[in-house]
Amino acid sequence: MIEVGDTVVTRLIEGKHCRSKSFVRLYNDMTGRVIGRTFMPHLGYFTYLVETSWTDDALFFTEDELKVVK
């Protein structure tokens, strides 16, 4: 499981989790740090809030969209 504080890189797939082509193009292969995690009971999985220098905002991603960088 991904933990708060982990450094991650995004691995996005167009169409998965309603990701648009432009979103994938902008935010794929982005490195950031996990600053929050929440369980989404209606979806059945965790989402992770990722902070990055690429954008002024933190963005939410699912666990299958992130890879921990060691």
Side-chain angles (χ1 to χ4, degrees):
M1 178 178 282
I2 298 171
E3 300 292 334
V4 172
D6 285 348
T7 300
V8 293
V9 64
T10 58
R11 297 287 183 238
L12 305 178
I13 299 170
E14 184 180 334
K16 190 166 188 174
H17 303 298
C18 300
R19 299 298 191 194
S20 68
K21 187 175 187 176
S22 60
F23 186 92
V24 170
R25 193 176 8 198
L26 284 172
Y27 300 116
N28 197 33
D29 292 323
M30 177 180 68
T31 302
R33 186 174 61 87
V34 177
I35 60 172
R37 176 181 74 193
T38 187
F39 184 71
M40 307 296 279
H42 60 289
L43 298 174
Y45 52 78
F46 283 94
T47 58
Y48 299 87
L49 187 59
V50 177
E51 177 183 60
T52 178
S53 62
W54 290 24
T55 178
D56 292 336
D57 299 318
L59 301 168
F60 278 101
F61 297 97
T62 60
E63 188 166 8
D64 63 336
E65 294 178 316
L66 299 172
K67 180 180 176 191
V68 176
V69 178
K70 299 287 178 182

